[in-house]
């Protein structure tokens, strides 16, 4: 059978994919987006699109029979995770041998489940990580564009200082200050004026109702409300959900041929489709885009792909840790699920750390302060294609996170000493004070300028592009989606001008 032809296909619907679809459509190119997850816009029987963190159901998790929350235990008790029905839920935890990676599944990718923290990296570190990119142009044009398009805003100081919902952040700020560390307000795509209305009791509670990693029912400007809405609004973009791109190939006329599996909500493959396209943009994330390229190279479908595919992977130096506060320093039973403050010690020459102050929205007082530390870990992993299992593998040893743990410990040892406090040992399912076996910020696998040119064009194959977090080699020093978006904008501007015909 003749494969159906579409001018451009974008794989995935996360940040890089959304930018690609919008800019292609604006250039007049009919574009099809293929997303393995669901479209999250229909309320379930409880009236909500997403389930809550405290009461997770099948909507929470991508085809598992038990939830896999990052904080696995409380007082060492297995009280957080729940048995659920297997279903294409919104948050996935992908397990490799010594690292697991959280990713979003659905129209909007990671934007559906993430904390919304929208941070522009320090210019010097950006220039160090991506030296081939013109930093002046990025900070003049593409970072401001990304921030504008994503709807980034900052919390009003009067609200932050007065609301009970950020007491946990103020308590952590006080503890940091006692050790001489400063904090920085963290911009977000969550609408802080909406949050103020939540606090006042005039709007439905989402962030203030403990919603975040399984989706926000209100308040958050996820990609379906920003870039993807704009893309679909052009009339040239269509999205097919529960469509997983299984393999890519190239035909003799230079067009690409995609094998696509359509699944139902049990995960069964209900249709196998072949699609062909002239322009193929991979926006399936660090894991997804790298997997498609490795499979194509190693099965011989695209044999000229570079040996450097799979390299320069890193977890952005992610480490989680918790501290126990004194009884006279409660963090509050009511906590906003959207973080708004970070301990900024990135300028430290030995142990740079940017530690976001994370909530513990348990609905009861826990006296726990939780942090996601972003450190400068130079260690890198390598993805490979596991032919026997037809899946992605990751060479990363647990001890490669030692530099990240060392930096995190250096910071929080000082904070604990200055405050006569200790770590929490009950939160991560064992007795560990530092969770270094999972990450939220997978980066790399197709590092810019190695298996691609300086704009994400895949070397050896015309009209094939990588447009997502796979391009960033392992670390960016802050939460990554603003950088992923801005870099995609910069690359698409060039690609649309030079490569694309309507
Ligand atoms: P992204 O992962 O967003 O999208 C890829 C999409 O492709 C997914 O929808 C996936 O289902 C789909 N896909 C994959 N393979 C496919 C295939 N073969 N066929 C079809 N579809 C396929 N960052 C930040 O800056 N601030 C923050 O506060 C946070 N917080 C946070 C919390 C949590 C819980 C997570 C999991 C992540 C974060 N992040 C974050 C990280 C951020 O969400 C992440 O860096 C970006 O979503 C990555 O964007 P990409 O465009 O690379 O892919």
């Amino acid at each position: 059978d003749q494969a159906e032809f579409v001018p451009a296909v974008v794989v995935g619907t996360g940040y890089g994919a959304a930018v690609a679809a919008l800019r292609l459509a604006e250039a007049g190119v009919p574009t099809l987006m293929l997303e393995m997850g669901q479209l999250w816009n229909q309320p379930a029987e409880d009236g909500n699109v997403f389930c809550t963190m405290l009461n997770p159901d099948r909507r929470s998790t991508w085809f598992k029979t038990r939830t896999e929350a990052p904080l696995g235990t409380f007082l060492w008790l297995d009280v957080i995770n729940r048995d659920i029905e297997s279903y294409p839920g919104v948050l996935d935890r992908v397990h490799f041998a010594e690292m697991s990676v959280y990713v979003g599944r659905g129209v909007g990718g990671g934007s559906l489940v993430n904390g919304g923290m929208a941070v522009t990296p320090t210019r010097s570190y950006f220039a160090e990580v991506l030296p081939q990119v013109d930093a002046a142009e990025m900070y003049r044009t593409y970072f401001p564009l990304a921030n504008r398009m994503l709807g980034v805003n900052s919390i009003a100081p009067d609200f932050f200082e007065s609301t009970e919902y950020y007491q946990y952040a103020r308590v952590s700020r006080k503890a940091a200050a006692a050790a001489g560390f400063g904090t920085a307000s963290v911009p977000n795509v969550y609408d802080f004026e909406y949050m103020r209305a939540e606090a006042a009791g005039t709007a439905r509670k989402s962030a203030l109702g403990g919603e975040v990693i399984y989706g926000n029912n209100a308040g958050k400007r996820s990609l379906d409300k920003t870039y993807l809405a704009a893309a679909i609004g052009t009339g040239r973009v269509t999205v097919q959900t529960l469509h997983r791109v299984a393999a890519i190939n190239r035909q003799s006329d230079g067009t690409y041929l995609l094998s696509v599996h359509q699944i139902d909500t049990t995960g069964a493959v209900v249709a196998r489709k072949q699609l062909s396209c002239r322009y193929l943009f991979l926006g399936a994330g660090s894991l997804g885009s790298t997997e498609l390229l490795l499979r194509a190279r190693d099965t011989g479908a695209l044999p000229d792909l570079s040996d450097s595919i799979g390299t320069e992977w890193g977890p952005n130096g992610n480490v989680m840790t918790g501290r126990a506060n004194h009884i006279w320093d409660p963090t509050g039973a009511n906590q906003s699920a959207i973080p708004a403050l970070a301990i900024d010690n990135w300028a430290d020459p030995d142990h740079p750390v940017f530690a976001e102050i994370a909530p513990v929205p348990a609905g009861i007082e826990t006296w726990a302060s939780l942090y996601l530390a972003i450190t400068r870990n130079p260690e890198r992993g390598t993805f490979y294609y596991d032919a026997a299992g037809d899946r992605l593998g990751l060479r990363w040893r647990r001890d490669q996170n030692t530099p990240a743990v060392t930096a995190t410990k250096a910071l929080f040892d000082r904070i604990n000493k200055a405050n006569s406090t200790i770590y929490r040992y009950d939160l991560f399912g064992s007795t560990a004070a530092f969770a270094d076996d999972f990450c939220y910020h997978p980066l790399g696998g197709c590092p810019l300028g190695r298996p691609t040119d300086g704009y994400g064009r895949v070397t050896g194959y015309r009209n094939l592009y990588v447009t997502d977090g796979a391009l960033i080699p392992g670390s960016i020093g802050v939460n990554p989606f603003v950088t992923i978006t801005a870099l995609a904008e910069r690359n698409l501007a060039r690609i649309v001008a030079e490569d694309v015909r309507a």
Side-chain angles (χ1 to χ4, degrees), residues 11-16 34-37 91 102-106 109-111 113-117 213 243-245 283-286 288 292 440-441 468-469 479-482 484:
V11 185
T13 55
Y15 292 91
L34 297 170
E35 168 58 53
M36 65 196 274
L91 182 66
Y102 283 100
V103 291
R105 299 269 181 238
S111 78
V113 297
N114 67 31
M117 280 169 283
I213 62 169
H243 278 60
R244 188 178 79 87
V245 177
S286 164
L292 284 169
Y440 299 121
H441 299 165
D468 55 28
N479 316 64
F481 73 62
V482 171
I484 294 169

Side-chain angles (χ1 to χ4, degrees), residues 110-126:
S111 78
L112 297 169
V113 297
N114 67 31
M117 280 169 283
V119 192
T120 301
T122 58
R123 183 163 164 173
S124 57
Y125 192 57
F126 175 86

Side-chain angles (χ1 to χ4, degrees), residues 104-396:
R105 299 269 181 238
V107 177
S111 78
L112 297 169
V113 297
N114 67 31
M117 280 169 283
V119 192
T120 301
T122 58
R123 183 163 164 173
S124 57
Y125 192 57
F126 175 86
E128 195 181 317
V129 173
L130 291 165
Q132 67 276 58
V133 177
D134 179 354
E137 184 187 40
M138 289 295 293
Y139 284 77
R140 188 178 58 238
T141 305
Y142 296 111
F143 278 116
L145 174 63
N147 275 284
R148 205 164 57 240
M149 289 294 298
L150 292 166
V152 175
N153 68 158
S154 292
I155 192 164
D158 68 308
F159 177 54
F160 178 80
E161 296 300 339
S162 60
T163 177
E164 62 172 312
Y165 292 94
Y166 282 111
Q167 185 179 322
Y168 74 95
R170 299 193 300 268
V171 165
S172 271
R173 178 178 62 187
K174 186 176 81 170
F181 296 115
T183 47
S185 178
V186 179
N188 206 291
V189 297
Y190 197 91
D191 180 346
F192 282 116
E193 285 311 306
Y194 182 86
M195 192 189 289
R196 198 195 277 267
E198 291 177 57
T202 56
R204 178 199 188 294
K205 283 192 172 59
S206 181
L208 303 193
E211 295 176 356
V212 63
I213 62 169
Y214 302 138
N216 282 95
N217 284 299
K220 194 206 241 180
R221 297 174 185 127
S222 44
L223 287 168
D224 48 320
K225 305 196 171 57
T226 58
Y227 270 100
L228 293 170
I232 291 163
T234 64
R236 293 197 187 91
V237 174
T238 45
V239 183
Q240 287 185 338
T241 57
L242 295 173
H243 278 60
R244 188 178 79 87
V245 177
I248 57 178
N249 212 320
R250 196 168 68 151
Q251 309 185 100
S252 52
D253 65 356
T255 58
Y256 290 92
L257 186 67
L258 286 76
S259 304
V260 184
H261 293 177
Q262 184 181 359
I263 60 168
D264 65 13
T265 58
T266 71
V269 177
V270 292
R272 288 170 201 269
K273 302 181 178 176
Q274 302 270 306
L275 284 172
S276 74
C277 62
R278 179 175 305 123
Y279 305 106
L280 177 55
F281 286 79
L282 303 182
S286 164
L287 277 58
S289 293
T290 309
E291 177 176 350
L292 284 169
L293 289 174
L294 285 172
R295 179 178 292 117
R297 187 191 67 196
D298 293 3
T299 59
L302 302 179
D304 296 336
L305 289 171
S306 161
D307 288 343
S308 58
I309 290 169
T311 62
E312 294 289 335
W313 185 83
N316 203 21
N318 282 186
V319 174
M320 278 197 112
T321 191
R323 292 177 43 255
N325 291 292
H326 295 293
I327 200 100
W328 56 85
D329 269 333
T331 51
N334 294 322
Q335 303 194 4
S336 171
I338 292 292
L341 198 72
I343 302 170
D344 188 358
N345 197 35
W346 192 257
D348 186 295
D350 301 323
H351 295 305
V353 179
F354 183 79
E356 86 193 37
I357 300 168
V360 186
I364 53 164
E365 178 58 48
T366 65
W367 284 279
S369 285
L370 187 67
Y371 307 90
L372 175 67
I374 298 173
T375 64
R376 184 178 174 155
N377 184 354
E379 291 287 332
R380 294 290 173 264
T382 306
F383 285 122
Y384 62 93
Y385 174 62
D386 168 2
D390 185 30
R391 59 171 180 242
L392 187 70
L394 175 64
R395 285 191 196 95
W396 170 272

